[in-house]
């Protein structure tokens, strides 16, 4: 069943994510989408700023997946794959980087922020924020090509609906395989920032909860659930 998207478009806001989270806490239904043409306080992962000048895609949408907290990792993989499928029509050489960055030739064109409220081990709501560089990008980023903001928004939402249905029908393995096909290959050398520590290793795959498996030089595997990855 398609998610019944209802899109609220704002010219300017602090952060679509902050607006959506307030609505989520007030009981908003699955499918509510908040979009803005410009954000004055855009939020990135790990408390970073998401610079949000006018003209890019800034949207947040609400899911109520009715699963336990462990499902968040699978949902993160699902959202990345859905965004990848939609954006790939407007980007050559698109790839994914764990946990959920979209890159064009190793430069970021889109970022995804997942925030959730857990109620007695279950996900009460999941707020998904997506920013895509359409008309401008920061110095270290890049834009997608040949689309309008609203067209891209609708394509991403359609794709999320499609993949969410598949996930509910227990087709996660297929989604995970799509993620693996779109991401850095097995054994890619990487550095990962874990708090203040920078560690090196080789990408080995994902576990069943979307965590990254990192192999070290002695072939020991480590499960990584959060952190910033730098491809070496
Ligand atoms: C990242 O750090 O890669 C995630 C960036 C997420 C940015 C989007 S833009 C729409 C939504 N509103 C925000 O304030 N952040 C997310």
């Amino acid at each position: 069943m398609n998610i019944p998207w209802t899109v609220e478009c704002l010219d300017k806001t602090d952060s679509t994510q902050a607006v959506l989270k307030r609505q989520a806490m007030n009981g908003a239904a699955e499918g509510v989408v908040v979009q803005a043409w410009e954000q004055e306080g855009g939020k990135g992962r790990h408390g970073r700023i998401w610079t949000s000048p006018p003209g890019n895609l800034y949207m947040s949408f609400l899911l109520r997946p009715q699963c336990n907290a462990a499902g968040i990792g699978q949902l993160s993989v699902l959202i990345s794959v859905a965004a990848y499928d939609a954006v790939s029509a407007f980007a050559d050489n698109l790839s994914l980087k764990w946990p959920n960055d979209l890159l064009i030739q190793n430069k970021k064109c889109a970022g995804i922020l997942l925030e959730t409220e857990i109620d007695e081990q279950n996900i009460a709501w999941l707020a998904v924020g997506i920013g895509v560089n359409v008309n401008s990008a920061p110095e270290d980023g890049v834009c997608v090509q040949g689309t309008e903001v609203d067209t891209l928004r609708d394509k991403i939402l359609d794709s999320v609906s499609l993949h969410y249905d598949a996930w509910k029908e227990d087709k996660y393995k297929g989604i995970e395989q799509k993620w693996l096909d779109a991401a850095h290959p097995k054994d890619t050398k990487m550095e990962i920032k874990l708090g203040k520590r920078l560690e090196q290793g080789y990408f080995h795959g994902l576990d069943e909860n979307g965590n990254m498996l990192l192999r070290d030089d002695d072939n020991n595997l480590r499960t990584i659930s959060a952190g910033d990855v730098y491809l070496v």
Side-chain angles (χ1 to χ4, degrees):
M1 208 183 70
N2 280 345
I3 301 171
W5 300 117
T6 55
V7 183
E8 177 186 1
C9 291
L10 306 168
D11 285 338
K12 193 195 278 192
T13 189
D14 175 33
S15 154
T16 59
Q17 194 74 0
V19 174
L20 185 81
K21 277 169 36 182
R22 279 198 295 276
Q23 297 187 2
M25 287 171 206
N26 287 327
E30 177 163 270
V32 167
V33 184
V34 179
Q35 181 192 359
W37 186 244
E38 180 181 359
Q39 298 185 118
E40 290 179 316
K43 296 196 299 176
R45 291 173 56 237
H46 302 302
R48 284 188 290 255
I49 291 170
W50 186 259
T51 309
S52 308
N56 289 327
L57 176 61
Y58 310 113
M59 75 163 162
S60 297
F61 57 83
L62 188 66
L63 298 179
R64 292 190 180 271
Q66 297 183 326
C67 66
N68 67 31
I72 183 82
Q74 290 196 358
L75 287 158
S76 169
V77 170
L78 178 168
I79 301 293
S80 300
V81 167
Y84 173 88
D85 264 13
V87 171
S88 61
F90 310 108
D92 290 335
N93 296 310
L94 188 68
S95 62
L96 289 173
K97 182 173 70 122
W98 191 88
N100 38 32
D101 287 345
L102 275 74
L103 309 179
I104 299 174
Q105 287 175 334
N106 288 331
K107 283 188 164 189
K108 188 155 163 169
C109 66
I112 298 173
L113 175 67
L114 300 184
E115 293 181 286
T116 188
E117 184 176 276
I118 305 297
D119 184 11
E120 292 180 4
Q121 308 293 315
N122 292 317
I123 299 178
W125 50 258
L126 173 66
V128 181
I130 301 188
V132 187
N133 302 327
V134 177
N135 284 301
S136 68
E139 215 172 295
D140 56 351
V142 66
C143 288
V144 300
Q145 298 292 328
T147 185
E148 303 289 327
V149 167
D150 289 1
T151 310
L152 187 59
R153 175 200 68 207
D154 291 343
K155 289 209 178 295
I156 293 174
L157 294 177
D158 283 352
S159 180
V160 169
S161 251
L162 201 77
H163 288 86
Y164 195 51
D165 275 354
W167 177 73
K168 283 187 184 163
E169 289 163 12
D170 284 333
K171 294 183 183 151
Y172 176 69
K173 273 286 157 202
I175 297 171
E176 181 192 59
Q177 191 56 53
K178 276 171 104 170
W179 192 97
L180 291 168
D181 292 344
H184 25 76
K186 195 171 175 206
D187 296 325
T188 296
K189 192 170 183 185
M190 52 177 54
E191 286 179 344
I192 177 149
K193 201 165 169 210
L194 301 166
K196 287 187 176 153
R197 282 196 333 271
L198 197 60
E199 300 210 1
Q200 274 206 353
Y202 305 88
F203 177 68
H204 189 75
L206 300 178
D207 74 5
E208 68 282 6
N209 291 322
N211 298 310
M212 182 170 69
L213 300 172
L214 192 70
R215 179 175 64 76
D216 68 15
D217 286 321
D218 299 323
N219 285 333
N220 299 311
L221 288 186
R222 244 182 104 174
T223 304
I224 309 286
S225 58
D228 279 323
V229 167
Y230 306 92
L231 302 177
V232 180

